[in-house]
Amino acid sequence: MKATIAALSALCLAAPATAQVAEVPMDSGAASAQEGRDCAALDTTALADADITLAVDVAATDNLPAYCRVQGTILPETRFEVRLPTQDWNGKFYMAGCGGFCGTLGADAPGTINAINHALARGYAAATMDGGHWGTGSTDARWALANPVAEADWGYRAVAETTKAAKTIIAAYYRGDPEYSYFQGCSTGGRMANMAALRQPEDFDGIISGAPALDYPGLVGTSFAWIAQADAGPDGPILTPADAAVVRDAVIAACDAGDGVEDGMVSDPLSCDFDPATLDLSEDKIAVLDAWYSEPVNAAGDVLYPASVPVGSEPFWPLWLTGLEGGGGALVPTAFGPNFLKYMAFPDDPGAGYSVSEFDFDTDPARMAPMEEVYNSDDPDLTAFRDAGGKLLMYHGWADAIVFPGKTLDYWDKMTAETTGDFARLFMIPGMDHCGIQATGPGIDQSGFDPLSALEAWVERGEAPERLDTAKTAEGETLWSRPVCAWPAKAQFDGSGDWRDPAGWTCETAKATENGDR
Ligand SMILES: [Ca+2]
Ligand SMILES: [Ca+2]
């Protein structure tokens, strides 16, 4: 990926082809004016219920081409940004979703959440937005106190309206519409990705949905309350970061080799039978683990959410679940869960005084039902998107300890049953953290794969992705690489040579490798 960006940067910095253009000063504004593009003039672009607040040329850097930077506000308070390559536009539009409760405009962010510079470097006209409100960070939900308008904006409207504004700005700047349009998001951005497929079926030719939080009341309400209540001891949390390390090592000892390769990673958690009772931990700690690895239920035993903390996610528990050594972290039980329940989960907000210990698994799921209509994008009917020719590429890290991958598999089964046709692919990535944020585990992080190139090949050249190439790197060195296969196929090592070499890996369907028993 770095090589591609470098190549594109080199392309953008290449000397102009004709003598006439070569006389243009090395000033991006003058160069764009030469092509009839006027960034500052975008300030007056007519937008419905929106204002452009900034339109300025930005000079090229080592990593980015020169671009026209446009910021605006869609009423009441969705802030968005569009970055338009001054020259060598690839003719395409890229839009990013935000993460968590959003609330910031992170065009320059690393990774894929909010970030658009990686697309800009490829020549895309790229847009992002803040989810429809301002906040102090992605775990801050105070903006949603008695604010159904902002909740609907975060739910679906901010993306839909920013899409319209960005396309209008692109058409004004380049005097033409994009040939292809793509959306990519992870976590809440993945929820937004599936929402765009549902509510804006004709806006994007291709959509990447990573680790999608498809059902916020079910996950961040019910499941996070389940996790927090299970771990609530008389003196605070029962499980410590040190306990997480004990569980991590035991899971690897029990299940690493079972997938065929001792690589420090459980590549197929579904086939890992790990029993916390075998651990040398106290009974109350084992009871927490039993709850975390189980789906939440009510008093009648009804399953309230179809997923739980996945086996193999333990390397990432300190940030998400147990807290970090020395403090911080535990974002599921101390930040996302409580903030959602206080300000977003119920039509009438209980507010700042609410404690997650109050969550009632018998009555509160039903109280959240009205908000499902606003937030959830797990409707399996993607017929309109499919019929518009859209392509959906979903991925999820198997070691995601905040947005549990079991829900994505449950959705995938329902969606592919409801919406037949060859328009969607799912890639379950072994050992990867939520959105590949943390690189500390045995699997790849977000720098180790490139779903956008795969989606481009599918949309633009009809090459449906049957595998994604992934690479584990550390300090610039590639430690290993191998394919991740389109679900339900799995990557199998043929046992010859070095497992670090991708040559020994092929994609096999479950039926061929496991005698059809799953
Ligand atoms: Ca393994
Ligand atoms: Ca609210």
Side-chain angles (χ1 to χ4, degrees):
M1 211 148 96
K2 275 178 182 151
T4 308
I5 291 168
L8 280 164
S9 299
L11 200 63
C12 295
L13 297 169
T18 68
Q20 185 190 12
V21 177
E23 287 168 14
V24 173
M26 293 305 286
D27 171 274
S28 60
S32 60
Q34 184 77 12
E35 297 179 35
R37 296 170 188 167
D38 188 342
C39 184
L42 291 175
D43 191 26
T44 59
T45 308
L47 298 172
D49 298 323
D51 271 324
I52 290 174
T53 53
L54 180 81
V56 293
D57 276 304
V58 177
T61 64
D62 288 348
N63 300 317
L64 292 176
Y67 66 92
C68 168
R69 182 186 190 195
V70 181
Q71 286 187 335
T73 303
I74 296 163
L75 296 177
E77 53 171 334
T78 296
R79 293 166 187 84
F80 68 92
E81 178 155 343
V82 187
R83 295 186 170 186
L84 306 151
T86 304
Q87 300 174 70
D88 300 314
W89 179 42
N90 68 5
K92 299 188 269 186
F93 168 48
Y94 176 93
M95 182 162 163
C98 43
F101 305 135
C102 303
T104 55
L105 189 55
D108 293 312
T112 56
I113 292 171
N114 257 157
I116 56 174
N117 282 345
H118 61 104
L120 177 64
R122 294 181 184 212
Y124 276 92
T128 192
M129 46 79 232
D130 67 358
H133 59 269
W134 200 249
T136 59
S138 65
T139 64
D140 179 4
R142 288 171 296 179
W143 54 269
L145 179 66
N147 195 346
V149 171
E151 287 168 344
D153 283 349
W154 180 84
Y156 52 87
R157 189 173 164 275
V159 169
E161 294 304 312
T162 300
T163 306
K164 279 187 215 165
K167 287 192 172 186
T168 300
I169 290 164
I170 288 168
Y173 188 63
Y174 297 114
R175 296 163 201 254
D177 296 323
E179 189 175 1
Y180 297 107
S181 297
Y182 297 101
F183 185 93
Q184 175 164 217
C186 197
S187 196
T188 285
R191 182 190 65 76
M192 291 171 159
N194 283 73
M195 191 71 87
L198 286 167
R199 287 184 179 255
Q200 306 167 241
E202 308 208 338
D203 275 351
F204 297 101
D205 302 290
I207 291 177
I208 297 169
S209 168
L214 296 165
D215 171 7
Y216 246 81
L219 177 70
V220 186
T222 302
S223 280
F224 288 8
W226 179 259
I227 285 179
Q229 289 190 15
D231 193 35
D235 307 311
I238 295 168
L239 282 184
T240 66
D243 295 332
V246 169
V247 185
R248 175 197 68 200
D249 294 345
V251 166
I252 291 303
C255 293
D256 179 6
D259 56 30
V261 177
E262 286 192 60
D263 51 3
M265 180 161 79
V266 181
S267 289
D268 183 11
L270 295 177
S271 66
C272 172
D273 283 323
F274 173 70
D275 183 0
T278 60
L279 293 166
D280 185 20
L281 291 175
S282 61
E283 278 184 26
D284 59 340
K285 290 177 189 285
I286 288 170
V288 177
L289 293 167
D290 283 337
W292 282 10
Y293 288 130
S294 303
E295 296 154 340
V297 294
N298 60 17
D302 304 319
V303 172
L304 301 173
Y305 187 73
S308 56
V309 176
V311 172
S313 66
E314 300 80 12
F316 307 117
W317 284 8
L319 179 62
W320 305 123
L321 298 175
T322 63
L324 299 156
E325 293 280 3
L331 297 182
V332 163
T334 68
F336 284 112
N339 263 279
F340 183 72
L341 290 168
K342 286 174 183 175
Y343 305 112
M344 296 176 72
F346 304 108
D348 292 318
D349 298 310
Y354 181 87
S355 165
V356 179
S357 63
E358 299 171 44
F359 189 87
D360 185 323
F361 295 95
D362 292 322
T363 56
D364 281 338
R367 290 180 56 221
M368 295 190 291
M371 305 312 292
E372 294 172 359
E373 303 298 315
V374 181
Y375 303 146
N376 288 10
S377 60
D378 58 356
D379 181 339
D381 182 1
L382 294 183
T383 306
F385 179 68
R386 177 201 65 193
D387 289 351
K391 302 288 184 282
L392 175 65
L393 192 161
M394 299 182 69
Y395 70 85
H396 208 132
W398 258 129
D400 190 330
I402 169 167
V403 178
F404 311 137
K407 170 68 181 183
T408 290
L409 292 176
D410 179 80
Y411 166 79
W412 182 258
D413 287 345
K414 289 171 176 159
M415 191 279 283
T416 52
E418 170 102 13
T419 315
T420 56
D422 189 29
F423 75 101
R425 291 286 185 281
L426 169 64
F427 296 90
M428 299 299 295
I429 303 180
M432 191 173 83
D433 181 30
H434 181 56
C435 300
I437 290 172
Q438 298 177 87
T440 50
I444 66 164
D445 63 51
Q446 59 195 347
S447 70
F449 69 119
D450 179 10
L452 180 57
S453 290
L455 186 62
E456 289 172 327
W458 193 6
V459 167
E460 297 170 27
R461 301 192 293 280
E463 299 165 9
E466 301 306 332
R467 52 186 276 170
L468 289 181
D469 295 323
T470 70
K472 172 72 172 179
T473 57
E475 296 173 358
E477 299 286 316
T478 299
L479 303 182
W480 49 259
S481 50
R482 73 178 65 159
V484 170
C485 308
W487 185 262
K490 294 190 178 76
Q492 295 287 332
F493 179 56
D494 66 11
S496 68
D498 190 336
W499 62 262
R500 296 168 187 81
D501 182 346
W505 292 83
T506 52
C507 288
E508 307 285 348
T509 63
K511 191 173 266 184
T513 57
E514 296 178 22
N515 303 317
D517 61 354
R518 209 176 48 235

